[in-house]
Amino acid sequence: MYGLRRHKSMFLLPGLLTLLLIIIFPLLFTIRVSFSGWNVSSPQMDFIAGANYATMLHDSRFWSSIMRLILLAGGTVLIQYVIGFGMALLVWRDVRGRRFWRVLFLVPMMTTPVVMAAIWQMIFHESLGPLNDLLGMLGLTKVAWLTESGPALVALMTVEVWQWTPFMFLLLLAGLLSLPKEPFMAAAIDGADVWRTFWKVTFPLMAPVSVAAVIIRLIEASKLSDSVYVLTSGGPGSSTETPGYYLYIQGLRDQQTGYSGAMSLTYLVLMIVTLTVVAALLTRALKLKGHS
Amino acid sequence: MRNNSYKGMIAAAAVVALTATGCTGQDKAESKPDKPALFKQGSEISYRKYGEDYPATKVKDVPGSCSYESISRKDYSGQTLKIISHAVPVIGEPTKLHARQFEEITGAKVEVVNVPFGELHQKILTPLQANQPAYDVMFYPSLWIGDMAPYLAPVPQEYLDTPGMKDVTKAYMDVATWNGQVVQYPVDGDRHYLKVRTDVLKDPKQQAAYKAATGKDLRTPKTWAEYQEVAKFFSGKDVDGDGKPNFGSAEVTKRDDLTFSAFISRAAPYVKNPDVKGGVFFDLDTMKPLINTPGFVRALDDMVKAKSTWAPGGANFGLGDEIFSFGGGQTLMSYSWDDAFIQAQQPDSRIRNKIEAAALPGSTEVYNRTTKAWDKKPNQAPYFTWGWTSAVSKASGHQKMAFDYLCFFSNEANTALDLTIGRFGVNPYRNAHFDAAFWEKQGWDKDVAKSYVQTLSGMEKSTNRVFDLRVPGVNQYMSALANGVAAALAGQKTPQQALDEAAREWAKITEQIGKDTVHDAYRNVVALEDYR
């Protein structure tokens, strides 16, 4: 019996080795790198204790990029959730051309983020873009979408919402399709109207799926950097830099390997803690709502 | 405290990377006896057979060891040359084109990897540091010489003795030289200079309007203050009657797209005092950064003021935007590399032969960092801003073939054709290129050609010049500087605050790299600037 169990556990070995190779080793290596002054001009990995972490504490660009990301991710995921839920509800029921709408809604998500950002870059172009043309036709002032701090953030949020609302739609639609029919039949017998049925039946039943969808999107949004790279390159100044983009600049372009290692680890820990707390709070809040 | 075990780790990482890029190791090239030449001496050379995109221009093969005739005698069949270059088209396209020709005439197999600018430094330097022969030939911006030099094979004397190499201007031979050895193979010569639209600035109607409004004569700006005044006057007006507004100035302002070069152009006349020797970026004695001194701050002030003269989107213009904004006729003035000028001179350009080249604007006073006061005198300081270069890796097992490729790349016939194709990014670097007749043959008006060659050759003659930093870690320094410029342009910080922060960053970078290492490298730059 013991031999069989040992024999079975051998099947875990390839998985464990792979995990060790592609996750554990790089993680340990990054921890070591973060305590070094390793950069392109000083390729030796000198131990410099916590100097990188001390620098990071005073690096206003890093901390502003995190605050900015909280705003971007929080704002866009909330908008994506509301619109995605609405779209899912729309095609959940038997509407005409349901299949067509489902495919159409998914198109933005299927496009590569860089391509999507490049298309939006043309749309937002200050002098040649159709968006400003439209504003002009309406008699409104043209907006410097990508070269002024505020509009550039709005532009980034628009692209995020456009690209990832379909993902939210997909998850929420799957959740809606798996709901039991009985509670809705009971609500109908009780004479509940559409709005009441939504708040008292649909929304609470969808709570677990909603939490999962929001958390998955928050995790994804925390890595936002590709559309920043294409749309604004973090500018004007550093007003649209996200941690992902700043890490790219420091680690890959400026090749401050040690310093970017320290920032990566800090960011990883911050994200794990934040998302765990958000997940716990959301679960609690939605459960409470379900019981009210 | 250095730990050798980590060198092994770096090497291991590089080996993994190299395996992924298909490295074949460093098998030594075997020399084969020469074969009969495929070209006769003085054959006519044209690129037309490689596609309709290439002009039908024909030039004669110039005899010499780099000519089509000589190189076609070489037999490199069965051998592979690996090259890394910038993305197509700038320098990447001629790299590929000449690789294809080299294959055809020598039998070699040439593999070219084209990499975007942002990744080029890392892709070249990492294997070099790991002593891996990932690439035999490398094309890169010449200001990286401080990082690259330890890993480069010096150019052999036989190539230094070729007529083409002997004709390279002094400035560009200096750019190719490190600690007395030529380690870079010159293939391009770049500088920043001013470009203006003469159909507007020399139009009597516009001159009268300008005089009436400002009380001053309208002319090609001689100082940055004049540049601002002219740019401001014309911005937002449709001065060429195409129904669209024109704008005053196109500048490279996108933080990660060579903004540092644009800023140095603006700062040069304020910081390069002919009476003060010893460098403009650092105090050579203390290695304290000088980029937050009053000259640099005034230049950044100017650049912030210039925002009102930029075309829509001008606050995020990359080099490509600047090229097309001036070259396309939207903007009346710009300053940077040749590209915008050559773009404007393309046969299908609506402003062809309506432009003029001139020296970068200067100043009426220049900061003296010794006396800590402004010296009231007109000052100009040409800026030799990097330019593409090429080199052969010390670790390459195909050095002979690699140098033959570069010798062929830059032979007189190829260079003559490359100079005329704006998108190639190959610009004058030999004395022969300062011949106005050559440019007139390309359809340029006499005045345009004259202004072009006089501006470029005039820079060579100047003894008050600014060069790029060219020290190890130059990318980090320039990135920190660009961050400061971008923060000021975005209004996040005042010019003084932004440059103070950049200076603090510079001090940190110097500490990291080692004050002595940076000092030793910077002495080379100062020697060029002080014209020693």
Side-chain angles (χ1 to χ4, degrees), chain A residues 29 32 38-41 43-46 55 61 126-127 146-147 232-234 236-239 241 245 249 252-256, chain B residues 1-2 6-7 9-10 118 121-122 125 129 147 254-256 312-313 315-316 472-473 476 479 483 486-487 490 492 508 512-513:
Chain A
F29 189 64
R32 172 64 187 93
W38 193 18
N39 67 48
V40 69
S41 309
Q44 284 77 23
M45 210 181 284
D46 301 346
T55 306
R61 256 175 95 184
E126 217 173 316
S127 51
L146 302 176
T147 52
T232 61
S233 302
S238 55
S239 58
E241 268 179 358
Y245 184 76
I249 293 283
L252 289 172
R253 209 203 54 194
D254 293 353
Q255 295 164 60
Q256 297 273 35
Chain B
M1 195 158 69
R2 288 172 179 178
Y6 291 109
K7 284 184 183 171
M9 279 180 171
I10 299 166
H121 188 260
Q122 176 204 6
L125 197 55
Q129 286 175 339
D147 287 325
K254 194 174 184 178
R255 187 187 55 190
D256 300 326
N316 208 30
Q476 292 172 53
S479 177
N483 287 337
Q492 291 175 317
K508 252 191 271 173
Q512 274 176 1
I513 295 171

Side-chain angles (χ1 to χ4, degrees), chain A residues 15 52 67 79 122 136 185 220 240 281:
Chain A
N52 284 329
M67 295 311 292
I79 298 169
M122 289 186 252
M185 288 162 68
E220 276 299 309
T240 54
L281 288 174

Side-chain angles (χ1 to χ4, degrees), chain A residues 51-127:
Chain A
N52 284 329
Y53 290 92
T55 306
M56 186 189 67
L57 283 177
H58 299 101
D59 185 347
S60 57
R61 256 175 95 184
F62 177 62
W63 296 109
S64 338
S65 73
I66 290 183
M67 295 311 292
R68 192 172 300 117
L69 183 81
I70 291 171
L71 171 78
L72 275 170
T76 54
V77 171
L78 181 68
I79 298 169
Q80 286 164 23
Y81 178 72
V82 173
I83 301 176
F85 210 152
M87 284 157 62
L89 287 169
L90 200 71
V91 295
W92 179 36
R93 300 290 174 203
D94 279 332
V95 290
R96 238 178 122 170
R98 186 163 69 168
R99 280 193 177 172
F100 169 76
W101 293 117
R102 279 186 193 177
V103 174
L104 188 73
F105 288 164
L106 293 179
V107 168
M109 194 181 79
M110 293 176 198
T111 315
T112 312
V114 172
V115 174
M116 180 61 68
I119 293 168
W120 277 98
Q121 193 184 36
M122 289 186 252
I123 294 172
F124 285 126
H125 195 283
E126 217 173 316
S127 51

Side-chain angles (χ1 to χ4, degrees), chain B residues 100-121:
Chain B
R100 201 170 150 195
Q101 294 170 316
F102 192 76
E103 280 185 333
E104 285 171 6
I105 66 175
T106 67
K109 188 179 172 210
V110 186
E111 293 173 1
V112 179
V113 175
N114 294 101
V115 179
F117 192 85
E119 292 166 28
L120 193 58
H121 188 260

